[in-house]
Amino acid sequence: MKNRVFLLSMVALLVFSFIGCAGNSGNQTTTAADTTKATTQATTAVETVKQDVGPLRIMWWGSQTRHDRTLAVLDLYTENTGVQFEPEFYGFDDYITKLNTLIAAADGPDLMQMGGNFPTYQEHIEYLNSYIDSGVIDTKNTDASMIGITTLEGNTIGLSSGTNAPAMAYDPALFEKAGVALPTFKWTWDDFEKAADAIHKKLGILGVSQTQNNEFEILTTAVTQYNTGESLFLEPYRLALNYNDDKYVVDFMEMVKRMTKSGSYPTPARMAEIKDIEGDPLVKGESAMTWLYSNQFVALSNAAKRPLKLICTPRRTVDGPLSLNITSSQMFCMYNKSKHKEAAAKFLSFFANDEHANLILKGERGIPIMRNVRAILATGLSDAEKEIYSYIDNLAKEASTNIVLNSPVQTEIRDSYIRVVEEFKFDKSTSAQAAAKFKVEANAVIDRYNKTK
């Protein structure tokens, strides 16, 4: 029933979205003109009452597009309320390093961006239930299911900044130039490998580009397709591996190695050079595909400056499970030691509800959860944004709609995978040895964590 409610809300979301497909394409760069347009076209959803409060510290990760738009919204809020901000923004890895340092020193920011990694920080997060119940955070324009995607065991962890899903981005012009059929929602890993190899052979570029972190994320998807559609890690906190047969990991590792040797897949050194979505080889036409989250597609398209498309990650078989989730892309959470909790909660409400602000943000973090915001945005979608809405529409027919969490030990397990798969890629082990070693190391990480609970 919960999934059904969520899907109904997604349908409503998509109805609003495709009304906007007949509208004009919007410029992706936030300018003063955008802010002026927002001010004249929308009615603010939050009273502009001056607040006597110290600067709010806020942190997030993301692309330059996200940084620019978020900073413009902070300026708008300061103009409306007088509240000042101390913003910090990074790429993902640097963000996690800095946040870990601050949390360890009991000096976390008032507001911090989280994704499925929030269980690692849950004991430091202020739950939003009381702020929602009192109306400080206005949720009348959304549905219970949209609050549910950031709620675990009755505790609302944060307010979703948008919904999204994993995807493959690709350049249709490069596929056509190489004489390779465009991918479909029924394509398989075999189709994927053949397409990547054919593109490399014909054009001399990468068939697909990834980071090492993305390779691990894709592994978790590939493994689920042998099981029941669940993740590599079990819910609710993903503290046990969800597979028994090492063949699942062996198959994936062997595919990656074959493609690396053929030249269609990046070497570990090449992957390490990719620091952000704008730096992906696909941007410069040096790759035909890349893995990403759907909300990153705007930044990728902006950087590429040419038409790109989205497709689901491949299936194990044509009729096999899709094994993807529509979920909250990111959320802003409140630090439970903040001295400005109510002021932070008021800003969260503004960020989610205010139409001026969201005309600036343009759904860059994902499809917004508020109905009024979706209606406003639907009148001016860019081509890249229309592609995201279309992708989610197709995905909603099959995808799961559960809350998605990373394991609290996700990073350690990922690092173990990267290490053992590199040994295999450089012929220092067999695939069977690498898969077995990965399982042993992952279980050891989980066991150590469980002993600290």
Side-chain angles (χ1 to χ4, degrees):
M1 178 61 71
K2 179 178 177 181
N3 284 354
R4 185 180 302 166
V5 171
F6 184 95
L7 284 173
L8 286 173
S9 68
M10 287 301 301
V11 170
L13 181 158
L14 291 159
V15 167
F16 278 121
S17 303
F18 286 102
I19 290 172
C21 288
N24 295 326
S25 295
N27 191 322
Q28 291 299 310
T29 303
T30 300
T31 65
D34 291 323
T35 305
T36 301
K37 180 180 178 182
T39 305
T40 57
Q41 286 189 348
T43 302
T44 186
V46 179
E47 292 183 9
T48 57
V49 178
K50 299 297 180 182
Q51 300 175 35
D52 184 15
V53 63
L56 289 178
R57 295 168 58 205
I58 181 170
M59 286 178 61
W60 68 89
W61 74 82
S63 65
Q64 190 61 48
T65 297
R66 177 175 300 168
H67 302 335
D68 292 342
R69 294 182 186 184
T70 305
L71 289 170
V73 168
L74 299 187
D75 289 343
L76 177 64
Y77 192 72
T78 298
E79 180 182 340
N80 286 349
T81 66
V83 173
Q84 301 290 324
F85 292 90
E86 292 180 4
E88 294 186 54
F89 41 92
Y90 307 90
F92 181 76
D93 288 342
D94 290 340
Y95 174 87
I96 293 299
T97 299
K98 181 62 182 289
L99 182 62
N100 288 345
T101 300
L102 292 173
I103 292 292
D107 189 31
D110 300 294
L111 292 160
M112 47 195 172
Q113 184 172 282
M114 291 286 168
N117 58 331
F118 78 81
T120 304
Y121 306 94
Q122 192 163 354
E123 63 184 283
H124 305 288
I125 291 173
E126 175 85 358
Y127 298 142
L128 301 184
N129 302 58
S130 63
Y131 303 95
I132 292 172
D133 291 343
S134 67
V136 172
I137 295 178
D138 182 1
T139 59
K140 67 177 179 295
N141 280 313
T142 192
D143 303 299
S145 58
M146 290 294 191
I147 302 301
I149 61 175
T150 52
T151 299
L152 185 65
E153 298 176 349
N155 298 313
T156 300
I157 310 297
L159 204 59
S160 177
S161 304
T163 57
N164 75 345
M168 297 290 293
Y170 69 95
D171 185 332
L174 291 176
F175 271 74
E176 292 171 9
K177 186 176 180 181
V180 175
L182 298 181
T184 73
F185 267 77
K186 290 292 186 179
W187 72 328
T188 66
W189 289 109
D190 186 52
D191 296 330
F192 164 77
E193 183 176 356
K194 288 179 179 177
D197 286 347
I199 289 168
H200 171 69
K201 185 176 180 179
K202 182 72 173 179
L203 305 181
I205 63 173
L206 292 171
V208 62
S209 47
Q210 316 283 24
T211 65
Q212 291 175 314
N213 181 64
N214 289 351
E215 182 177 306
F216 174 72
E217 294 284 348
I218 297 170
L219 167 68
T220 68
T221 298
V223 168
T224 68
Q225 294 168 348
Y226 287 91
N227 294 310
T228 59
E230 293 297 326
S231 172
L232 177 63
F233 300 104
L234 294 174
E235 302 290 3
Y237 294 102
R238 299 191 178 188
L239 289 174
L241 294 180
N242 191 25
Y243 67 94
N244 295 314
D245 193 342
D246 284 347
K247 172 179 168 53
Y248 307 154
V249 179
V250 166
D251 286 351
F252 183 77
M253 286 183 173
E254 289 182 345
M255 179 190 72
V256 165
K257 185 173 182 177
R258 285 194 306 270
M259 294 174 68
T260 303
K261 287 188 175 297
S262 77
S264 67
Y265 193 92
T267 63
R270 184 76 186 274
M271 287 193 283
E273 294 173 356
I274 305 172
K275 302 300 183 183
D276 52 37
I277 198 69
E278 290 96 343
D280 192 284
L282 177 59
V283 168
K284 294 182 179 181
E286 297 171 358
S287 172
M289 295 181 279
T290 194
W291 185 93
L292 77 175
Y293 281 97
S294 58
N295 64 291
Q296 295 176 298
F297 186 69
V298 170
L300 182 73
S301 298
N302 282 352
K305 296 181 173 63
R306 65 185 190 278
L308 302 175
K309 292 288 189 179
L310 288 172
I311 196 66
C312 60
T313 52
R315 306 167 191 255
R316 188 169 66 88
T317 63
V318 171
D319 298 324
L322 187 59
S323 300
L324 291 176
N325 284 276
I326 298 173
T327 185
S328 174
S329 55
Q330 292 99 37
M331 56 184 161
F332 273 111
C333 300
M334 290 168 50
Y335 183 45
N336 61 9
K337 293 184 177 66
S338 168
K339 297 178 181 178
H340 309 295
K341 292 179 181 176
E342 183 156 337
K346 288 179 179 178
F347 174 74
L348 283 183
S349 188
F350 172 88
F351 195 82
N353 284 285
D354 189 82
E355 294 167 6
H356 298 183
N358 280 279
L359 280 168
I360 295 171
L361 293 170
K362 296 183 180 177
E364 184 274 332
R365 284 177 169 86
I367 298 175
I369 66 171
M370 298 297 176
R371 288 184 292 272
N372 62 309
V373 171
R374 294 198 297 269
I376 288 289
L377 293 183
T379 63
L381 295 176
S382 69
D383 289 342
E385 289 158 345
K386 290 175 185 176
E387 181 66 16
I388 295 172
Y389 280 62
S390 176
Y391 173 69
I392 295 293
D393 182 35
N394 284 316
L395 207 61
K397 299 168 186 175
E398 293 186 71
S400 301
T401 54
N402 302 317
I403 184 170
V404 175
L405 316 177
N406 291 342
S407 168
V409 289
Q410 182 97 345
T411 300
E412 291 180 74
I413 293 174
R414 178 203 67 189
D415 290 347
S416 172
Y417 169 78
I418 290 171
R419 185 173 59 255
V420 300
V421 79
E422 279 196 19
E423 292 173 358
F424 169 59
K425 289 177 182 178
F426 290 113
D427 299 320
K428 294 180 180 180
S429 67
T430 66
S431 57
Q433 289 169 336
K437 184 176 182 180
F438 170 62
K439 179 182 278 187
V440 168
E441 291 190 5
N443 280 324
V445 169
I446 292 169
D447 289 344
R448 285 196 299 273
Y449 178 82
N450 284 333
K451 289 176 181 177
T452 67
K453 297 291 283 181

